[in-house]
Amino acid sequence: MNVMRKYSTNAIFLSALLVLSIFTLISISEVNAAEVISVNAKGYENTIIIEFENESTSKIKTIKVWPGGEVTFTSFKSEPGWGGGKYSDGKLLIFTATNTLNSGESVKFGLVTDEKVNAINWKVLDPNDNDIDKGKISIQVISETSSDIIEEESKEVEQAKEAGGELYGTKKFIPEKIRVGSDIRLLGSGFDSEKNLKLYLDSTILKSVNTDKQGNFLTTISIPDAHNIGTSEFIIKDESNNIQTTSINIEESKNRFLKTSEFEVNSVPAEIRYEETLTISGSAYPQSAIIIAFENNERVLEKTRVISANANGEWVFEETIERTENLGEKFVIFKNNNDKTTKSLTVKSDYLIQISTSAVRYNAGETVTITGTAEPNKNTTIWIKNQDKKIVHYDVFTSNIDGSLNYEFVIDSTFSSGTYTVIIKQENGSDAALFGIDKYPTSVIVTLMEKTNFELNSKAILSIVGPTSSNLSISILDSNDIIIMTDSITSSSIGKNKYAIDLDGLDSGVYRAVVSSTNIQDSVKFSIGLDTGSGAISLVSTKSNYSPGESILVIGNTGNNARLMITLLDPSGNISAKTETFSDNSGSFSTGDIGIPPDGALGKWKVTAHNRLDSNSVEINVSIPTGKSLTLQIEETQFNIGDTIVIKGVGQSDAIWIRVQIISQDGMTVELSTPLTSGTFLIPWTVPAGFDTGTYTIIVSDNENSSSFEIFIQ
């Protein structure tokens, strides 16, 4: 009986506890229900308008939005009072209110992504950075005629027409004839690098596209079925509201039941590069086959492709040019029924910079000539490294206006017997070549990166110069020298290759790419996702005195894993060189990518390391070389008849007089002399009447050392 009484007491206690628990859960739910944010999102193509309404009792200070996956934001707009939004690797936007968003208030943001998404993640925080609410909102897809987005875009277009600047770049429609209800390819080139562009037909947005590193894009746009026939305005607008407008004629849709036997080939490019998409279009009998054959310049068949015309008789051929393709001129033969036509096409390397030396072996006193192609009229840095990877020659010059490179230097006493590497670098690319002094160069691997720091989940392009047709092993190591990725490739017949490193999933930090073959290897460091804010910076130069033509090794310390910009200023305060570097896990950083040009002014120079908030500088002295040598310092490269050329330079020599020779391409020589006084020499020379147009070489020598400089007389 007591047992039964005890059981009943326990049952009553459990029942009461259950009721209390239910009451507590209901109370908690009611509390949570008070902390609710109403969110809705509407989208058209890549553009989204997302609205947050505060239905909670808390005040909202911060709103975060992110699309997830590999999608990134390309631009955004916020209402007044919401501080800018800021990117975090393009995948997170953080909006902070000047004043809080109170209960019952709402705010809208305009977002543009690099590709269409179906939902957006969000989180809202209070002034103490505590979470208020978070979730994922599906995007309501809207028509192009019934949305706030279109109204807002129309306003933007009108504002850009009134106040925006001119947007430079060229475009091409494929096919050129535009019809209602059709899809056309749009090819753009010459725009700004890696920018988001919006495409409009009149004031209706069609889509957003992103340009690549060369400022090019290729996309498909759809002409709405209901669009008016006749003249329309096609508009491209960038993120800075610069605008480009073009009048285009939109024709009726083609009658799909009308057949045509006309065979045409349009828009075959004169040249194409590796990794670019070859696009060719034309017309043919509807649903008929077009055979496209590719032959090399010796008319040997390399490949054949077959495509079909659509019901309108239009056809488009697209194919990416792979690295396995042979370079050079091609013949492209198009066949359709009994019709045949042949076009020419040149396949080129995608290296923006390509260099070679005039010979692979030189002797002391000979002139090394480096030729090639690069981006035209750009600052170009050159390093010559010996077999111990020590920089023995440094210079900065400007590439020619036609993109050609031609650089010369004399092998003087600073060079010894061995293998040397020439590295040429511009802002968007680099290349290397090998030569030997007194012997042929040994096998060497040179690894180069297109830049220093890469975004998270992007791709890093590794350039490799080394032995031809050889198996190369590639390893990626983290800052602890742990191998996180391995691969292998076979080098090309010219010994130059590019390798794309997929950075997807790698954490922020410093990494090293190692490329090796039998008994040889080289490595290059790079960073991923580092911030530009590092904290206090310490900075030293390994030497306090330098000579013109000498590279500078800078070392220092700052916060861990941070990006820094290193700038070299001449005595007048002008920027002579600039490069980016990064600190490692211990905060240490170093770079040897800057130096004093051979024509650099004597005096106090300054090296500055800076990031977003902090900076530090160190002074160095540039003086006359202490060793025996001569260096020309001519400021211009082009002259006219009657111009006076100031031939000057610095040096140390046992000679009192310096011999000066001005030599034309056909060997005509003008002989001059000038004294060497306190380590400097100078002599003015006026270009006489009757001189032929062409390239002339100025050589100064003291019978032991020499220096040369090329000028052009026009």
Side-chain angles (χ1 to χ4, degrees):
M1 197 68 177
N2 290 337
V3 174
M4 291 295 292
R5 189 178 296 114
K6 184 182 290 186
Y7 178 82
S8 300
T9 303
N10 290 341
I12 293 169
F13 175 75
L14 289 172
S15 298
L17 183 61
L18 179 60
V19 171
L20 180 61
S21 300
I22 293 172
F23 178 79
T24 302
L25 288 173
I26 292 172
S27 300
I28 292 173
S29 298
E30 288 175 349
V31 172
N32 285 341
E35 300 293 313
V36 170
I37 308 301
S38 175
V39 184
N40 68 79
K42 298 178 181 179
Y44 175 71
E45 294 291 346
N46 299 21
T47 303
I48 304 158
I49 288 182
I50 187 167
E51 182 177 14
F52 295 84
E53 184 174 357
N54 189 0
E55 297 181 354
S56 73
T57 58
S58 300
K59 296 182 178 181
I60 297 175
K61 182 69 174 179
T62 304
I63 296 177
K64 299 181 179 182
V65 291
W66 65 99
E70 298 303 312
V71 180
T72 59
F73 291 110
T74 58
S75 62
F76 61 84
K77 275 197 169 184
S78 57
E79 290 186 5
W82 285 83
K86 66 177 181 180
Y87 287 95
S88 175
D89 304 319
K91 296 187 176 182
L92 172 68
L93 281 175
I94 303 174
F95 298 98
T96 304
T98 305
N99 300 310
T100 57
L101 188 73
N102 300 320
S103 180
E105 296 178 343
S106 63
V107 63
K108 287 183 180 179
F109 303 102
L111 316 173
V112 180
T113 54
D114 62 348
E115 59 183 81
K116 188 176 179 180
V117 294
N118 298 319
I120 286 286
N121 301 289
W122 58 270
K123 179 189 287 188
V124 296
L125 299 91
D126 66 14
N128 296 318
D129 284 340
N130 297 317
D131 290 359
I132 298 175
D133 199 0
K134 60 183 178 181
K136 186 174 185 178
I137 182 69
S138 297
I139 297 172
Q140 177 188 352
V141 179
I142 55 178
S143 71
E144 57 189 87
T145 58
S146 63
S147 110
D148 295 339
I149 294 175
I150 303 306
E151 293 178 11
E152 182 67 25
E153 293 294 344
S154 298
K155 292 178 184 177
E156 284 195 16
V157 171
E158 293 306 317
Q159 291 172 358
K161 286 181 180 178
E162 294 176 3
E166 184 177 356
L167 179 62
Y168 295 98
T170 60
K171 58 185 174 295
K172 186 172 186 178
F173 296 101
I174 305 172
E176 295 178 356
K177 188 172 288 187
I178 303 171
R179 298 180 182 276
V180 168
S182 65
D183 290 339
I184 56 177
R185 300 290 276 169
L186 179 64
L187 178 66
S189 60
F191 293 88
D192 285 342
S193 172
E194 296 182 322
K195 295 295 183 182
N196 178 257
L197 304 177
K198 290 184 179 180
L199 313 178
Y200 301 84
L201 189 57
D202 294 325
S203 293
T204 301
I205 185 169
L206 298 177
K207 71 187 315 181
S208 296
V209 297
N210 291 325
T211 60
D212 61 19
K213 292 179 180 178
Q214 285 73 48
N216 305 325
F217 68 84
L218 177 64
T219 189
T220 299
I221 57 176
S222 299
I223 306 301
D225 293 324
H227 196 81
N228 294 330
I229 297 169
T231 302
S232 288
E233 196 173 27
F234 186 81
I235 300 168
I236 303 178
K237 183 175 72 67
D238 68 7
E239 303 165 44
S240 302
N241 274 344
N242 298 315
I243 194 168
Q244 181 186 109
T245 64
T246 307
S247 293
I248 61 173
N249 186 51
I250 299 180
E251 302 184 7
E252 292 181 324
S253 59
K254 186 177 284 187
N255 188 334
R256 294 177 180 269
F257 297 100
L258 292 178
K259 306 299 181 182
T260 175
S261 59
E262 183 181 7
F263 177 58
E264 291 183 351
V265 178
N266 304 323
S267 62
V268 179
E271 62 183 46
I272 190 110
R273 296 181 182 273
Y274 283 158
E275 303 297 334
E276 290 182 348
T277 300
L278 174 62
T279 303
I280 306 172
S281 65
S283 60
Y285 189 88
Q287 310 291 358
S288 65
I290 298 96
I291 301 172
I292 306 175
F294 293 80
E295 297 179 352
N296 64 18
N297 59 357
E298 296 179 352
R299 305 310 298 251
V300 175
L301 180 66
E302 293 184 337
K303 63 182 180 181
T304 302
R305 301 290 185 262
V306 180
I307 59 172
S308 297
N310 64 16
N312 286 337
E314 298 168 343
W315 57 268
V316 176
F317 169 75
E318 291 182 341
E319 185 171 284
T320 300
I321 303 299
E322 304 291 346
R323 298 187 184 281
T324 53
E325 296 266 3
N326 293 322
L327 300 174
E329 185 180 7
K330 312 286 180 184
F331 294 98
V332 189
I333 301 98
F334 301 85
K335 297 179 183 178
N336 176 246
N337 297 328
N338 294 323
D339 294 310
K340 177 181 177 181
T341 185
T342 300
K343 305 288 185 180
S344 62
L345 168 72
T346 301
V347 177
K348 294 188 173 183
S349 169
D350 59 339
Y351 276 79
L352 291 176
I353 300 177
Q354 276 196 301
I355 63 168
S356 61
T357 55
S358 56
V360 292
R361 176 179 173 175
Y362 298 91
N363 296 314
E366 293 183 332
T367 299
V368 178
T369 302
I370 301 160
T371 58
T373 57
E375 290 190 82
N377 206 32
K378 296 286 186 182
N379 279 346
T380 308
T381 306
I382 180 170
W383 295 270
I384 310 295
K385 295 185 177 182
N386 63 17
Q387 54 198 17
D388 297 322
K389 299 185 179 180
K390 180 182 177 182
I391 298 173
V392 295
H393 182 82
Y394 172 92
D395 198 1
V396 178
F397 63 99
T398 302
S399 56
N400 296 328
I401 197 168
D402 62 354
S404 63
L405 290 176
N406 192 301
Y407 185 89
E408 293 185 342
F409 65 94
V410 177
I411 299 174
D412 57 22
S413 58
T414 61
F415 293 86
S416 58
S417 176
T419 298
Y420 289 81
T421 304
V422 182
I423 299 175
I424 294 280
K425 185 177 182 180
Q426 290 182 330
E427 185 178 0
N428 295 317
S430 56
D431 194 20
L434 304 176
F435 69 91
I437 296 179
D438 297 333
K439 60 177 70 174
Y440 288 100
T442 58
S443 291
V444 172
I445 292 176
V446 182
T447 53
L448 304 167
M449 281 287 189
E450 59 179 345
K451 57 183 181 179
T452 302
N453 187 72
F454 297 87
E455 301 294 334
L456 287 168
N457 302 316
S458 62
K459 282 184 168 56
I461 304 301
L462 178 67
S463 296
I464 306 169
V465 179
T468 62
S469 304
S470 301
N471 185 63
L472 303 176
S473 298
I474 300 172
S475 300
I476 309 300
L477 294 81
D478 65 14
S479 57
N480 297 315
D481 279 345
I482 297 174
I483 296 176
I484 58 174
M485 188 187 306
T486 59
D487 201 354
S488 64
I489 62 170
T490 300
S491 62
S492 69
S493 58
I494 61 173
K496 295 187 178 183
N497 299 271
K498 283 192 174 184
Y499 179 82
I501 306 171
D502 190 352
L503 307 180
D504 188 22
L506 297 184
D507 296 331
S508 297
V510 176
Y511 294 82
R512 185 161 58 99
V514 180
V515 181
S516 58
S517 185
T518 306
N519 298 324
I520 55 173
Q521 75 170 31
D522 191 31
S523 65
V524 59
K525 283 186 175 182
F526 63 97
S527 60
I528 304 174
L530 298 191
D531 191 27
T532 53
S534 65
I537 301 170
S538 65
L539 178 70
V540 296
S541 172
T542 55
K543 293 169 54 179
S544 58
N545 287 287
Y546 289 86
S547 301
E550 194 173 358
S551 68
I552 301 171
L553 176 60
V554 177
I555 60 176
N557 196 274
T558 185
N560 300 345
N561 294 336
R563 295 164 62 180
L564 300 100
M565 186 64 68
I566 309 296
T567 304
L568 176 65
L569 304 171
D570 67 15
S572 300
N574 300 315
I575 295 176
S576 175
K578 182 185 291 187
T579 189
E580 188 178 51
T581 188
F582 50 81
S583 60
D584 58 20
N585 285 343
S586 65
S588 298
F589 66 88
S590 66
T591 181
D593 286 352
I594 60 173
I596 309 298
D599 60 351
L602 305 182
K604 296 292 184 183
W605 291 57
K606 182 185 290 186
V607 180
T608 298
H610 53 97
N611 55 41
R612 192 167 51 196
L613 300 174
D614 299 278
S615 67
N616 197 0
S617 299
V618 60
E619 277 194 349
I620 59 173
N621 184 57
V622 176
S623 57
I624 298 168
T626 56
K628 293 180 180 180
S629 65
L630 296 174
T631 302
L632 272 167
Q633 296 180 324
I634 300 175
E635 297 175 355
E636 302 290 337
T637 58
Q638 294 190 8
F639 299 91
N640 297 314
I641 301 296
D643 285 350
T644 297
I645 304 173
V646 178
I647 303 170
K648 64 178 181 177
V650 297
Q652 289 290 327
S653 174
D654 293 332
I656 300 175
W657 288 84
I658 302 298
R659 180 187 182 194
V660 180
Q661 294 177 297
I662 303 160
I663 305 173
S664 68
Q665 291 171 299
D666 57 9
M668 183 189 74
T669 302
V670 175
E671 295 274 357
L672 305 168
S673 63
T674 181
L676 181 64
T677 306
S678 300
T680 64
F681 59 88
L682 182 149
I683 182 172
W685 176 71
T686 301
V687 181
F691 257 48
D692 293 333
T693 297
T695 301
Y696 290 75
T697 303
I698 299 176
I699 301 175
V700 295
S701 63
D702 61 359
N703 295 324
E704 182 180 355
N705 304 295
S706 65
S707 178
S708 64
F709 188 85
E710 277 195 354
I711 61 171
F712 185 79
I713 296 177
Q714 55 190 4

